[in-house]
Amino acid sequence: MISSIIILLLLCCSLIDGSSWAIVASDSFAAFIITPTKAKIATTSSSSVVFAALENGDAATQTNSQPSFTLKQRNPYDVHVYYSGSNQREKAMLLRSKMKQQFPWMRFYEPKDVPIGPHPLPMWEADFASYDNRVFWGEVCDFIKEEHEDLSVLVHPHSFNGDYADHTKNAFWVGDVLELRIQGWKR
């Protein structure tokens, strides 16, 4: 009942101001991306809740569209690809190879085979290297959506909203949303 009210409210807001809203919720809910002309639904098995307002339509599917926050003029985005076990590690390394070929301008870092910092699982990381590459956000996210298989992938910005917001409400997830270890971070 509450989820229906939230969805109706967001749909009304979307129709009034032209913005889109993405919701990622717990097991009992689905994720919705609503625009004035379409709605997309994706389920998640995560127990975390993330709300993100997106402008200019469905930023996850439109190449070159940008989420609504102000990026710092540095590396604009980080990509974290998580894996658990040897089978997923193999898939993660294959995705890494494909991304290196598709996006040679990105910087790739060595895999971390143990959880580190806020990351609850082993992962590898890449970043957008330069502020100028921010325009490729949609292209990178679309590629990840097509190629991630059963991996969880986090793409987060470096915005003026701070690290906590960048890893929660400003985050873009593909696959299962993982609970990051950020409880002590400044909100």
Side-chain angles (χ1 to χ4, degrees):
M1 176 66 177
I2 293 174
S3 63
S4 298
I5 294 169
I6 292 171
I7 292 164
L8 182 59
L9 177 63
L10 293 175
L11 181 57
C12 291
C13 291
S14 177
L15 292 172
I16 292 168
D17 71 6
S19 66
S20 304
W21 291 83
I23 305 171
V24 179
S26 70
D27 307 8
S28 59
F29 295 103
F32 295 85
I33 299 177
I34 303 171
T35 68
T37 57
K38 63 185 172 185
K40 292 193 171 208
I41 301 173
T43 59
T44 180
S45 60
S46 169
S47 60
S48 60
V49 178
V50 180
F51 294 92
L54 305 175
E55 294 186 27
N56 303 320
D58 178 0
T61 60
Q62 290 181 2
T63 305
N64 296 328
S65 63
Q66 295 292 308
S68 60
F69 43 77
T70 303
L71 293 168
K72 294 180 180 177
Q73 289 198 5
R74 52 164 284 193
N75 158 46
Y77 296 100
D78 287 347
V79 177
H80 300 275
V81 177
Y82 299 94
Y83 52 89
S84 179
S86 60
N87 186 34
Q88 275 200 334
R89 188 182 195 285
E90 222 173 273
K91 291 176 185 179
M93 295 308 114
L94 179 59
L95 177 58
R96 177 185 168 89
S97 294
K98 288 178 180 180
M99 287 184 68
K100 280 183 165 185
Q101 285 184 315
Q102 186 72 24
F103 308 110
W105 48 265
M106 291 182 80
R107 285 188 296 215
F108 290 82
Y109 300 93
E110 291 300 312
K112 305 295 182 195
D113 288 327
V114 295
I116 184 170
H119 307 287
L121 293 175
M123 57 95 190
W124 62 261
E125 178 181 358
D127 68 38
F128 279 45
S130 163
Y131 183 72
D132 294 338
N133 294 330
R134 71 192 181 283
V135 299
F136 299 119
W137 184 87
E139 186 179 335
V140 171
C141 290
D142 286 347
F143 184 86
I144 291 169
K145 285 188 333 187
E146 291 294 319
E147 300 290 337
H148 81 282
E149 295 193 35
D150 64 343
L151 300 170
S152 291
V153 181
L154 165 65
V155 182
H156 72 81
H158 292 283
S159 77
F160 286 102
N161 296 10
D163 287 338
Y164 187 86
D166 289 345
H167 287 77
T168 56
K169 71 177 186 171
N170 295 342
F172 176 80
W173 283 94
V174 178
D176 289 341
V177 177
L178 303 178
E179 186 173 338
L180 300 176
R181 300 180 296 192
I182 59 173
Q183 294 78 12
W185 287 12
K186 183 179 175 185
R187 294 178 189 228

